Amino acid sequence: MQDDATILNDTLDRLLSARVTPGLLRAAEEGTWPGALWQELVGLGLTEIFRGMSDRPWRDAAVVMRMAGRHALPLPLPETILASALLPEEEFDPLEPIAIIAWEEGEEAAWPWPDQVRRAIGISRDGTAHWLAREGEIGAPARSLTREPRHAARVKRGFSSGADARLLAALMRAAQMAGAIERVLALTVEHARTRVQFGKAISAFQAVQHQLAVLAGNAAAAAASVDAAFARQDRSEMPVRGGMAVRDTMAERDMMVAKIHAGEAAGLGAAIAHQLHGAIGFTDEHTLHFYTRRLWSWRAQFGNESEWARELGRTICAAGADSLWLAIATRD
Amino acid sequence: MQALSFEPCELGPETDVLRARIRAFIAEHVEGLPPELRAQSWSAADPEFSAKLGAAGFIGMTWPRHYGGHAMSALERYVVLEELLAAGAPVGAHWIADRQSGPLLMRFGTRAQCERVLPPITRGELFCCIGMSEPDTGSDLAGVSARAVRSGDGWCVNGTKLWTSGAQVSHYMIALLRTSTESKHGGLTQFLIDMKTPGITVRPIRDLSGAAHFNEVVFEDVWLPADAIIGKEGEGWNQVTAELAYERSGPERFLSSFRLLVELVRVLGQNPDARAAVAIGRLAAHLITLRRMSLAVAAKLALGEDPALEAAIVKDLGAVFEQEIPEIAAALVPVEPSLDHPRAFERVLAQVIMIAPSFSLRGGTREILRGIIARGLGLR
């Protein structure tokens, strides 16, 4: 990681460690918008990554998205950053939180933070992105496992683009998952080193050590696949803003790979973390669930790992057995 | 908790020419070989193939020219290795000499040792094996008991090495021997042993697949000259552990059953059902990521860093992946594996099923690797 990205990473880690407390997370899940924190994050220029001076905006976006996942940030910051890359300049206001949601034409939307978030990008199953505004009364609750406040809502559709925005949204979730898995690993290592049973820390047991080694390996694979997909976005010559008219098949491949890996590591990592935490990690009082509930939710959003694996598998099989290696052995 | 990092690594455009060269070599010398032989990949020793590969300049690629090398970068070498492995080239004869023995000698050996051994390695004419495990010493390697005792102006060796891959075709062994019983780790020394020395008996051991890749090597009063020592007396343990990142992170740690994946895609056809497509897509995703992680380790090694922890992760994940391929292939294609079936899939499946147990044993067992990772996490 280069210096400016490291500085961004460390600054954000310190800030979110101080601000995103269990108290703030619990209040957010009961419907309190952490408005002061939103102002502070916007004030740092984080929603303007794609309009700033950085020559590698996707790398910087990845840092923020991972940190948001690492701290279970209960604000649509990753979504707003991705929206800034997708929307035409004149539609984007860096102060305004924007959601990115799954949405099909003619249906009501499951709309997060309906009192604070007025506009969203709705992504349909075929990959089209629709610019949406919320209309009318707020409907029934439609919470996900993240417990982010979310309600049924009627929408007014603005323009649509033919872009494959769904993969970019999947990549955003993959980055958040990579961050949350890192946190889950750190919490579990800490627990294993401090929890004493049979007269010793449970980290002394090989059965525990090996489970954590599996978790660490899968966390590293998820992070590596996410980093690679973002690095390719910065190299890709295909414009994202206003719709990707031309497809970059290598970028698509890497985004699929990232969502597949992060999703698998999410399932496996959450299971290992809960097993090693024992009953305390299953309680509401403990903080582990802030991360594992998000992992279970994000894993399913914008295409789960089977959906993207099927897509990738079809492409590979269509090219035939003797082209398999050619699809793997690329230079970057 | 030690920080892990697998930085994305790009191969330069200069590697395209090299990749085209090795692909042309493979088209000529590998593609006509039987699929079940290609499925054995780096386990299969073929000295004639190694000589052709050496003559074409693909062995000792990163070594200096005065030792017969080609002064290329580690990442250029990586491109050649992954192409050979993906094609299932029978690279077993020279594999260890190229990967480990040459670099070890250049790092710790004398100039005379290098001049004697390295040039014929690069020609694909001289092969090496590694004498580490013994009948009572496997994962607990520091328990080595084969002894070298001072005798005249040299050393006298007695003991037995076991599971020594390729000893029957090798010209030299790099052996880890006990030179002192006062310290478990500090009493070990590495020796360069000419396999023609009187008193050495090599007994091939047939494995469950019917092949005999590994061996028992017995030393009975084998006399070695003083200059057989590699590096320093008593430094064997440190020297051996310095090799491990090279041994554990290469493309051979995730491509061992790649030929079966190719045959599986062939049998599934160009329009597979959803279940098969999901399985192939998932395996491809894992392969792409393992390769990235392995390349990231190669780039670190090239910078002189010691990514031992990252290498252990690549090998652990790689072995899981290599062992999943036969499981998934057998689940998707309900046929009986057969060594003599007219279709390649059945033969390759049979071959890979039989060798798959070794993937998580050789080069550090799964349990040892996970112990190393746990130590990196600060658990022990």
Side-chain angles (χ1 to χ4, degrees), chain A residues 257-306:
Chain A
V257 168
K259 189 66 162 60
I260 292 166
H261 261 292
E264 271 189 35
L268 187 79
I272 290 173
H274 277 293
Q275 184 62 34
L276 296 183
H277 270 85
I280 190 70
F282 190 60
T283 62
D284 177 64
E285 182 192 350
H286 200 276
T287 58
L288 180 61
H289 63 81
F290 288 119
Y291 313 98
T292 55
R293 282 189 287 106
R294 279 171 174 75
L295 287 172
W296 294 323
S297 187
W298 291 338
R299 179 185 188 182
Q301 291 179 344
F302 306 115
N304 68 5
E305 55 267 26
S306 335

Side-chain angles (χ1 to χ4, degrees), chain A residues 1 185-186 189 192-193 203-204 208-210 212-214 216-218 220-221 224-225 227-228 231-232 235 253-254 257 260-261 264 306 309-310 312-314 316-322 324-332, chain B residues 1 4 6-13 15-16 19 23 82-83 86 255 258 261-262 265-266 268-270 272 274 277-278 280-282 284-289 291-293 313 316-317 367 370-371 373-374 377-380:
Chain A
M1 204 182 283
L185 173 63
V189 165
R193 291 174 61 175
S203 62
V208 171
Q209 291 174 2
H210 290 192
L212 273 164
V214 171
N218 281 274
S225 64
D227 286 346
R232 190 184 291 284
R235 287 196 307 274
R253 181 198 77 165
D254 285 352
V257 168
I260 292 166
H261 261 292
E264 271 189 35
S306 335
R310 188 179 63 218
L312 183 59
R314 281 188 176 148
I316 282 174
C317 290
D322 294 320
L324 171 60
W325 178 243
L326 305 181
I328 307 291
T330 52
R331 275 207 273 111
D332 51 9
Chain B
M1 198 162 119
L4 282 172
F6 295 92
E7 293 283 309
C9 160
E10 268 181 73
L11 296 169
T15 58
D16 287 346
R19 201 181 286 280
R23 282 184 180 169
E82 68 172 0
E83 289 291 332
L255 287 173
F258 181 73
L261 186 55
V262 172
V265 170
R266 200 184 311 285
L268 294 174
Q270 289 180 294
V278 169
I280 296 299
R282 177 177 168 275
H286 279 244
L287 182 51
I288 288 165
T289 301
R291 177 173 177 265
R292 285 195 191 295
M293 297 172 86
I313 285 178
D316 184 39
L317 293 174
E367 289 71 20
R370 290 186 178 169
I373 299 166
L377 292 172
L379 300 173
R380 48 190 287 252

Side-chain angles (χ1 to χ4, degrees), chain B residues 247-259:
Chain B
E247 188 182 339
R248 288 178 172 162
S249 63
E252 74 271 32
R253 298 308 182 185
F254 57 90
L255 287 173
S256 304
S257 44
F258 181 73
R259 295 313 305 173

Side-chain angles (χ1 to χ4, degrees), chain A residues 55-66:
Chain A
D55 57 338
R56 295 178 61 187
W58 287 100
R59 179 199 55 187
D60 297 346
V63 168
V64 179
M65 290 171 181
R66 257 170 94 159

